[in-house]
Amino acid sequence: MNIVLASTSTLFGGNYLEYLTEEIKNLFNGIDEIVFIPFARPGGISHEEYTEKAKAFFAPLGIRVKGLHEFEYKTKAIESAQGFFTGGGNTFLLVKTLHEEHLMQVLKENIEKGKPYLGCSAGSNIGGMNMKTTNDMPIVYPSSFDCMGLVPFNINAHYLDPNPDLKHNGETRETRIKEFLTQNDVKVIGLREGNWIRNKDGQITVEGSEMTRVFEKNKEPYEIKPGTAL
Amino acid sequence: MNIVLASTSTLFGGNYLEYLTEEIKNLFNGIDEIVFIPFARPGGISHEEYTEKAKAFFAPLGIRVKGLHEFEYKTKAIESAQGFFTGGGNTFLLVKTLHEEHLMQVLKENIEKGKPYLGCSAGSNIGGMNMKTTNDMPIVYPSSFDCMGLVPFNINAHYLDPNPDLKHNGETRETRIKEFLTQNDVKVIGLREGNWIRNKDGQITVEGSEMTRVFEKNKEPYEIKPGTAL
């Protein structure tokens, strides 16, 4: 497999996908067209507008982008694609659409065959075992929470440390993930913004500029450095 | 109906339910025993421990508390109860358990008959039309997102304003609720900590110390004062 699962598309003060440019060139090396999956619709943006945003980033790299929504036969589009990029947004909407259109499994199979895959945020969540560690609001009801399982764990994108100054009683991210572990025995990678998971020929590592927080059932959470194998 | 749906159980720096004491006395006036629904299990706390916490608050008010988990016949326990309190925690776990045990509908019917109901956080979410505006992590898969609809809108508990200082790219609460409104036509009450919804004989108002933010489809969000009818 040849995949990148990033915590976020955009760093604070940065441009869309900018900080990932070198890794993206590496991932899509030798490829001149990818299929973009716009179903997560961040902020309710249309499939068309969202695809334009992806096109604008990839054009200077010499990679054409086609939105999956443009195809009448989406399964065939996935079968014929050279590579994939799933953008962030709402994970419930993304997963619902992929299950509804019977695309989750065919996408997984094509990635497992070696076609390169880039996910950001919600697009990274679907690379995990299931979507039960998303931060998103359940605005629609998917037929299942199961995802592609391209990596043998779950991802918590945009992982955020507790803020001791916050006078607010909502649960911290750490509390939420610990609640997940009372009900599930799946490792969770708390991926801070600036970090990504790289799976290259079965070697899975965490990359980027930040430490990464790992949560396992019946264990204290622990931190790992960029470059650590998972 | 006679209900209180609070944003949070505990204000920053305060004790459990303390700020709601007068409203709770008013709500449960003349009642000496209530059934506590502990299924949301905040932080994974056991049903027993959680029920003890509720008991400790209600004992000085002369109100006995029984945990719903203690009853073999839970439907019968709801039918026989004088009033109810559902504590906060994980809304997915709460809703899954209520649907699994076929309790959502019988609870709704008993509250609609006039039995007093107190909800906090997740316990307030289930008073809305559905749980699609919860902030919680989807740690389990409920058979449906539908809730009791004791009020003709949804609640976003622990409503939090965007923090302009945060160098983080996760969606703001407002963005999430706007995403909900692209997929649903249900009014959302952004209930800040310190506020609650009061439904007394069909008069629905928002109460508490803070302004409340209201979100409707195809409208700019707007603010309403404590005491405003909904």
Side-chain angles (χ1 to χ4, degrees):
Chain A
M1 274 195 274
N2 188 17
I3 69 182
V4 169
L5 306 174
S7 174
T8 185
S9 62
T10 315
L11 290 185
F12 183 79
N15 293 317
Y16 189 61
L17 296 174
E18 191 179 38
Y19 79 103
L20 281 168
T21 306
E22 284 314 303
E23 194 68 296
I24 287 173
K25 281 183 188 170
N26 181 5
L27 174 71
F28 291 125
N29 184 26
I31 277 180
D32 62 5
E33 186 177 281
I34 59 171
V35 164
F36 176 61
I37 301 171
F39 300 148
R41 301 183 56 192
I45 188 176
S46 72
H47 295 151
E48 291 72 22
E49 275 179 283
Y50 202 15
T51 303
E52 285 308 313
K53 195 174 170 182
K55 277 184 185 168
F57 172 81
F58 280 97
L61 307 185
I63 298 175
R64 290 186 307 278
V65 172
K66 289 205 168 158
L68 186 52
H69 65 287
E70 296 167 29
F71 294 89
E72 192 180 355
Y73 300 104
K74 295 183 178 60
T75 301
K76 216 170 146 186
I78 289 173
E79 297 280 14
S80 312
Q82 298 176 49
F84 308 98
F85 169 35
T86 305
N90 186 285
T91 307
F92 290 86
L93 192 52
L94 174 60
V95 168
K96 176 172 187 274
T97 311
L98 288 174
H99 281 311
E100 234 166 38
E101 307 219 13
H102 307 288
L103 300 173
M104 188 75 87
Q105 183 63 23
V106 65
L107 184 60
K108 171 186 164 76
E109 286 165 8
N110 274 267
I111 298 164
E112 285 178 345
K113 272 185 223 161
K115 293 185 185 177
Y117 178 82
L118 170 65
C120 290
S121 191
S124 298
N125 288 339
I126 63 168
M129 302 295 291
N130 58 57
M131 58 164 288
K132 291 181 180 173
T133 51
T134 178
N135 312 309
D136 294 335
M137 194 171 262
I139 64 173
V140 293
Y141 184 71
S143 62
S144 160
F145 284 167
D146 291 344
C147 292
M148 293 192 285
L150 305 175
V151 287
F153 47 76
N154 268 9
I155 290 167
N156 180 255
H158 304 283
Y159 181 77
L160 194 60
D161 293 293
N163 177 354
D165 296 334
L166 198 63
K167 293 179 179 175
H168 185 262
N169 200 40
E171 291 87 349
T172 65
R173 192 65 59 80
E174 177 149 334
T175 301
R176 294 172 194 276
I177 296 172
K178 285 180 173 173
E179 287 179 356
F180 168 80
L181 289 172
T182 68
Q183 303 292 317
N184 302 270
D185 189 3
V186 174
K187 190 195 277 190
V188 182
I189 306 302
L191 208 55
R192 294 187 176 91
E193 295 188 348
N195 285 1
W196 62 94
I197 306 282
R198 185 77 171 100
N199 184 347
K200 176 81 178 146
D201 305 327
Q203 270 286 84
I204 305 177
T205 52
V206 59
E207 305 291 343
S209 54
E210 309 298 318
M211 298 290 284
T212 290
R213 196 160 181 84
V214 184
F215 300 82
E216 295 184 66
K217 201 176 173 83
N218 302 324
K219 250 190 175 174
E220 275 305 298
Y222 56 94
E223 299 274 335
I224 57 176
K225 277 188 264 194
T228 304
L230 281 169
Chain B
M1 276 193 273
N2 187 17
I3 70 182
V4 169
L5 306 174
S7 174
T8 186
S9 61
T10 315
L11 289 186
F12 184 80
N15 293 317
Y16 188 59
L17 296 174
E18 192 179 38
Y19 79 103
L20 281 168
T21 306
E22 284 314 303
E23 194 69 296
I24 288 173
K25 281 183 188 170
N26 180 6
L27 174 70
F28 292 125
N29 184 25
I31 277 180
D32 62 6
E33 187 176 279
I34 58 171
V35 164
F36 176 62
I37 301 171
F39 299 148
R41 299 183 57 193
I45 189 176
S46 72
H47 294 152
E48 291 72 22
E49 275 178 283
Y50 201 14
T51 303
E52 285 308 313
K53 196 173 169 182
K55 277 184 185 167
F57 172 81
F58 279 97
L61 306 187
I63 297 176
R64 290 185 308 279
V65 172
K66 288 203 167 159
L68 186 53
H69 65 287
E70 298 168 26
F71 294 89
E72 191 180 354
Y73 300 104
K74 294 184 178 59
T75 301
K76 215 168 145 187
I78 289 173
E79 297 280 13
S80 312
Q82 298 176 50
F84 308 97
F85 169 34
T86 305
N90 186 285
T91 308
F92 290 86
L93 192 52
L94 173 61
V95 168
K96 177 174 186 275
T97 310
L98 288 174
H99 281 312
E100 234 167 38
E101 307 219 12
H102 306 287
L103 299 173
M104 189 74 89
Q105 183 63 23
V106 64
L107 184 60
K108 171 185 164 74
E109 286 165 8
N110 274 268
I111 299 164
E112 285 178 346
K113 271 186 225 161
K115 293 184 185 178
Y117 178 82
L118 169 65
C120 290
S121 191
S124 298
N125 288 339
I126 63 168
M129 300 296 290
N130 58 56
M131 58 164 288
K132 291 180 181 175
T133 51
T134 178
N135 312 310
D136 294 335
M137 194 171 261
I139 63 173
V140 293
Y141 184 71
S143 62
S144 161
F145 284 166
D146 291 343
C147 292
M148 294 192 285
L150 303 176
V151 287
F153 46 76
N154 268 7
I155 290 168
N156 180 254
H158 305 282
Y159 182 77
L160 193 61
D161 292 293
N163 177 353
D165 297 334
L166 198 63
K167 293 181 178 174
H168 186 263
N169 201 39
E171 291 88 348
T172 65
R173 192 65 59 78
E174 176 148 333
T175 300
R176 294 172 193 278
I177 296 171
K178 285 180 173 173
E179 287 179 357
F180 167 81
L181 289 173
T182 68
Q183 303 291 318
N184 303 270
D185 190 3
V186 174
K187 190 195 279 190
V188 181
I189 306 301
L191 209 55
R192 294 186 177 93
E193 295 188 349
N195 285 3
W196 62 94
I197 306 283
R198 186 77 172 101
N199 184 346
K200 175 83 176 144
D201 305 326
Q203 270 285 85
I204 305 177
T205 52
V206 59
E207 305 292 342
S209 53
E210 309 297 319
M211 298 289 283
T212 289
R213 196 160 180 85
V214 183
F215 301 81
E216 294 184 67
K217 201 176 174 84
N218 302 325
K219 251 190 175 173
E220 275 305 296
Y222 56 95
E223 300 273 335
I224 57 175
K225 276 189 263 192
T228 305
L230 281 168

